[in-house]
Amino acid sequence: MFLDERLEKILEILKKEKKVKVNELSEEFSVSEVIIRKDLKRLELEGKLKRTHGGAILLKELVHTITLEDRIINRTKQKEMIAKKIVENIKEGEGVFFDVSSINYIAAEYLSNSEKSLNLFTNMPSIAALFNKNSRIKLTIIGGDYHKEIGGIIGSEAINNIIKYNVDKAFIGCAGIDLDTGKVMNFESNDGNTKKAIMNISTQKFLITELRKFETEGSFNFSNLADFTAIFSEKRRADYPSTMRKKFQELDVEIG
C-alpha cells in the first residue's frame, strides 16, 4: 500500500471510530509503529487530527464552546446518572457549590424536589427558578459578569465574591481530561480561573464528567486529577478500565 493510500485509510478509520491507536494501526497495515507515528505526525501537521499518547483523535473532537442551554437540552442518560450520584452524595446541612455545568443543572432539578436542607452556592443563575418553591435550601448566587455562552458568572469579580465563602463540597465540570498527564481542562481562561477559586474554598472537590471527556481536550488547563477528592462519571468503579483505576489509585482519587 502506498503512503497516500495508508493516510487516507487512517482518516477513514478515524472518522468511523473517532480515535485510533498506534499499535492497532501497525497491525492493520503491517508496518512498524515508528512508521505509523510518522503518519500521524504528518496528518497532524495537515490539521486533520490531534495526536494523543499512543494514538490520535479527530481534530473536530477537540472541545469547542457550546452554550449551557444547548448542553442542558442534550440531556443524556449519562448526565442523568451522574446528577443522581451528586444528590446522593450531598448530606443534610452541608454547604455545597455547583459550578457551571449541565450536569449540575440536572442535579439542581433533583435537589429542588428533595427533602434535604442545605446551603447551595452557584455561579449558574439559571438554576435560581428551580428553588422558588423550596424553602429548605438557602440559595446564594455569586455576583459578577455574566458570560452568555458559558451560562455562568465568571471572571475577577466573581472570584472576589467566591473567596468570601467556605463550603463543604464543590462539584466541578470540565471540557476534557488527559489521563496520562492528569490535566483537567476547559476552553476559557476566565472560566478556568473561576473553577480554581471554587475549588480553593471547598473542603472536598468532586470532578463531574462523562467518561467520554477522557477522549477530548480543552485549551486551558485549570487543574489536575490529583487535586480532586473523587471523580463522578456514569460508570461504577468496577466498570472503569483497569488503566483508569490504576491511575486514580496512584493519584489518590476515589471513584464515586
Side-chain angles (χ1 to χ4, degrees):
M1 181 180 292
F2 293 111
L3 172 61
D4 289 344
E5 291 179 302
R6 188 169 66 246
L7 295 178
E8 186 176 338
K9 288 290 185 182
I10 290 174
L11 289 175
E12 286 179 6
I13 296 171
L14 256 180
K15 289 175 182 177
K16 181 180 179 181
E17 304 294 336
K18 307 301 182 185
K19 62 179 180 178
V20 292
K21 294 183 179 180
V22 170
N23 61 338
E24 293 176 356
L25 291 176
S26 176
E27 292 180 10
E28 174 76 18
F29 299 112
S30 300
V31 296
S32 70
E33 292 187 6
V34 172
I35 290 176
I36 292 298
R37 289 192 183 93
K38 288 181 179 179
D39 289 348
L40 297 180
K41 183 176 181 179
R42 176 170 174 170
L43 290 169
E44 183 177 49
L45 291 172
E46 293 176 0
K48 295 177 179 177
L49 56 77
K50 170 71 175 179
R51 284 186 296 163
T52 61
H53 180 72
I57 59 175
L58 272 179
L59 196 60
K60 69 178 182 180
E61 291 298 301
L62 291 172
V63 173
H64 56 282
T65 303
I66 303 174
T67 65
L68 177 65
E69 182 179 13
D70 287 339
R71 301 201 306 274
I72 292 171
I73 290 172
N74 183 26
R75 195 179 178 117
T76 64
K77 179 181 178 182
Q78 289 85 355
K79 290 181 181 181
E80 296 276 357
M81 293 171 69
I82 301 167
K84 289 177 181 178
K85 284 186 180 182
I86 291 171
V87 176
E88 289 170 2
N89 183 266
I90 297 172
K91 295 182 174 59
E92 187 80 11
E94 287 186 323
V96 174
F97 203 115
F98 276 3
D99 168 46
V100 181
S101 162
S102 58
I103 294 173
N104 275 339
Y105 183 93
I106 297 169
E109 287 185 339
Y110 286 123
L111 196 59
S112 68
N113 293 314
S114 76
E115 297 298 316
K116 293 181 179 180
S117 298
L118 60 123
N119 296 320
L120 178 62
F121 299 81
T122 187
N123 57 330
M124 184 169 46
S126 55
I127 75 170
L130 299 175
F131 296 94
N132 284 342
K133 297 180 181 180
N134 188 322
S135 59
R136 292 176 174 269
I137 293 178
K138 179 184 176 183
L139 181 64
T140 300
I141 303 292
I142 297 300
D145 297 323
Y146 181 73
H147 192 295
K148 293 180 181 178
E149 287 74 25
I150 289 174
I153 298 170
I154 61 173
S156 58
E157 189 61 31
I159 292 171
N160 288 336
N161 277 274
I162 289 166
I163 61 177
K164 297 176 183 178
Y165 301 99
N166 292 298
V167 296
D168 299 297
K169 295 173 180 176
F171 296 89
I172 308 293
C174 72
I177 306 162
D178 188 322
L179 185 63
D180 296 314
T181 64
K183 292 177 181 178
V184 181
M185 298 163 276
N186 70 334
F187 48 82
E188 214 278 342
S189 60
N190 281 326
D191 184 32
N193 288 327
T194 305
K195 292 175 187 290
K196 285 183 183 179
I198 296 169
M199 294 174 67
N200 287 338
I201 67 165
S202 183
T203 303
Q204 293 183 295
K205 307 152 185 64
F206 299 90
L207 181 62
I208 54 169
T209 178
E210 296 160 279
L211 214 60
R212 66 179 181 83
K213 294 289 181 70
F214 282 92
E215 298 175 5
T216 62
E217 295 184 5
S219 57
F220 184 80
N221 304 323
F222 73 86
S223 191
N224 191 282
L225 284 171
D227 297 327
F228 290 91
T229 307
I231 179 169
F232 285 1
S233 81
E234 70 274 19
K235 298 287 187 181
R236 298 175 302 170
R237 181 181 178 84
D239 295 331
Y240 276 79
S242 59
T243 52
M244 281 190 174
R245 293 201 304 270
K246 182 179 179 181
K247 184 67 174 182
F248 295 149
Q249 187 174 11
E250 291 173 358
L251 297 173
D252 195 27
V253 179
E254 296 179 8
I255 299 175

